[in-house]
């Protein structure tokens, strides 16, 4: 009998990418092997995102392509939809795309083996969009991780904020956190296996609470031997308090890219969005961060939505001026997309699509100007970088990220570049692109040369 194969396509956030690692691990334990060819996958899963309408449409157009592949194979292929589209649409997916055999909700990953087994037993289409309050306790040895440097760890799931534009509380459920001892044990196990970087995951990662808070958890992780960097996504501004910032100041392994999603720079729109802060309170948080992290390189980034229902032109300009006032290192900006079942659906005063796109373009162009200047300011400074990719033969063969999460391409003229894989190095920044830096290794033999303390602030 030939070996069965699987293919998983992933859209959306890091949480979804990690769910893919979990499903890949489950399928491997079932004896499946990964394939990178659509045509020979026996199980083909789409791990989907529904944050904006476009993301959802892409899934259905992909299902159209897979229908043809399945027909070519006379139906001998399992097509599954997992992730947020599955959770949101449930069994309706079978109506819209009858070629689908399996709909697996965001909290049903552990059911995958049984459901695939029933499909093999010709027991008809399989659907599970049940809520599993213990989904976040997924066995940690199962995920099949892509690299041997960076490993993701789910520390919490869900969202209780109910921002009025957002589908996440409906697709990922209420907040629940994993016991902190479990997280620390998992980090120790991964460090023992040689992983150098861990990325803590949660839809509101810094709302983590399980007898200790997020700041305390970070301090525990700082003490795990063998780890070089501890990252975390995705945070909410309300949980970046002084205690978290002091932890970042005191613990050199914790990443210092502060993602502070503002969504809008106008207080009336923020209220409509249900964000529970005004522009002024948001700015106070920025000042607090700058004060506590004074002397430590850090970056500030944000998400923005333009064209939220009722956003007047002058209110949009408040978002543009917020970019100047804060001086972000990078932003992620989106045109508002109405999501079924969310609080904002009740507002009838929608902004025309063309106007949304116009505002988006203005915002993005404005940020690029700010970004050019900020990136330029890094030239000549030093940075600590963990090498996670090596491309022998290229002019800049070493690739890694600074502590504050900027990608750096590094020249390495001495010896073979492979020896730097997974190693921390100190780099002098020699040039910039819009989102990335170029650099050169500091010192004679940078591997002998431990990370040097860096004083210059880029905040
Ligand atoms: N429309 C547009 N953008 C959205 N986001 C979340 N929901 C929507 C929506 N309905 C954006 C927010 C969030 C990021 C992940 O996606 O900016 O921070
Ligand atoms: Fe997309 Fe949000 Fe679901 Fe992540 S949690 S996959 S961003 S809808």
């Amino acid at each position: 009998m030939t070996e069965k194969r699987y293919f998983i396509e992933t859209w959306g956030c890091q949480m979804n990418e990690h769910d893919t690692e979990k499903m890949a691990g489950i399928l491997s334990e079932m004896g499946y092997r990964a394939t990178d060819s659509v045509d020979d996958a026996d199980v083909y899963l789409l791990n989907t995102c529904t944050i904006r309408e476009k993301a959802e449409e892409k899934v259905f157009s992909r299902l159209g392509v897979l229908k043809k592949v399945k027909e070519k194979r006379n139906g001998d292929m399992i097509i599954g939809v997992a992730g947020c589209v599955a959770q949101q649409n449930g069994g309706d997916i079978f109506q819209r795309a009858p070629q689908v055999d399996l709909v697996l909700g965001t909290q049903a990953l552990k059911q995958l083996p049984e459901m695939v087994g029933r499909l093999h037993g010709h027991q008809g289409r399989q659907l599970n969009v049940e809520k599993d309050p213990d989904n976040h306790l997924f066995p940690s040895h199962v995920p099949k991780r892509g690299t041997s440097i960076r490993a993701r760890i789910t520390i919490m799931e869900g969202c209780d904020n109910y921002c009025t534009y957002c589908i996440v509380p409906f697709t990922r459920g209420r907040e629940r956190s994993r016991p902190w001892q479990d997280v620390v044990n998992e980090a120790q196990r991964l460090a023992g296996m040689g992983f150098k970087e861990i990325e803590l995951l949660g839809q509101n990662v810094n709302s983590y609470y399980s007898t200790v808070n997020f700041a305390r958890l970070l301090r525990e992780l700082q003490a795990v031997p063998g780890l070089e960097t501890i990252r975390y996504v995705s945070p909410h501004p309300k949980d970046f308090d002084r205690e978290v910032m002091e932890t970042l100041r005191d613990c050199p392994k914790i990443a210092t890219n502060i993602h502070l999603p503002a969504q809008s720079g106008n207080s009336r729109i923020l209220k409509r969005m249900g964000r529970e802060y005004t522009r002024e309170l948001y700015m106070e948080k920025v000042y607090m961060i700058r004060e506590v992290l004074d002397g430590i390189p850090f970056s500030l980034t944000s998400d923005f939505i333009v064209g939220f229902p009722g956003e007047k032109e002058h209110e949009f300009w408040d978002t543009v001026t917020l970019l100047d006032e804060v001086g972000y290192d990078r932003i992620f900006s989106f045109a508002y997309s109405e999501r079924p079942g969310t609080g904002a659906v009740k507002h009838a005063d929608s902004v025309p699509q063309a106007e949304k796109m116009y505002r988006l373009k203005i915002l993005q162009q404005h940020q690029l100007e700010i970004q050019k200047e900020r990136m330029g300011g890094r030239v000549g400074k030093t940075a600590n970088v963990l090498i996670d990719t090596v491309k022998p033969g290229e002019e800049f063969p070493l690739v890694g990220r600074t502590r504050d999460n900027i990608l750096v391409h590094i020249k390495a003229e001495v010896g073979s570049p492979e020896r730097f894989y997974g190693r921390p190095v100190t780099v002098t920044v020699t040039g910039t692109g819009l989102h990335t830096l170029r650099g050169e290794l500091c010192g004679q033999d940078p591997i002998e040369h431990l990370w040097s303390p860096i004083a210059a602030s880029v905040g």
Side-chain angles (χ1 to χ4, degrees), residues 51-52 165-166 261 263 303-305 334-339:
I51 194 90
R52 285 169 288 277
Y165 50 80
C166 189
Q263 311 299 356
D303 292 346
F304 289 99
I305 298 175
F334 312 96
Y336 171 72
S337 164
E338 185 177 284
R339 303 287 59 217

Side-chain angles (χ1 to χ4, degrees), residues 296-348:
I296 295 174
F298 70 95
S299 57
L300 266 176
T301 58
S302 182
D303 292 346
F304 289 99
I305 298 175
V306 301
F308 185 78
E311 184 189 69
K312 302 196 179 78
E313 197 176 336
H314 74 270
E315 292 170 327
F316 160 70
W317 281 100
D318 284 343
T319 298
V320 179
T321 61
L322 187 71
L323 302 193
D324 291 319
E325 204 172 336
V326 176
Y328 293 105
D329 294 278
R330 188 163 186 178
I331 66 161
F332 302 88
S333 49
F334 312 96
Y336 171 72
S337 164
E338 185 177 284
R339 303 287 59 217
T342 56
V345 170
K346 68 172 189 282
H347 298 301

Side-chain angles (χ1 to χ4, degrees), residues 149 385-390 397-401 408 410 417 420-425 427 441:
I149 304 276
V385 177
L386 177 69
I387 303 300
D388 59 23
T389 310
V390 177
L398 308 179
V399 186
R401 286 175 183 276
V408 194
I410 306 154
F420 291 101
Y421 185 65
R423 308 293 292 256
V425 296
V427 169
L441 295 170

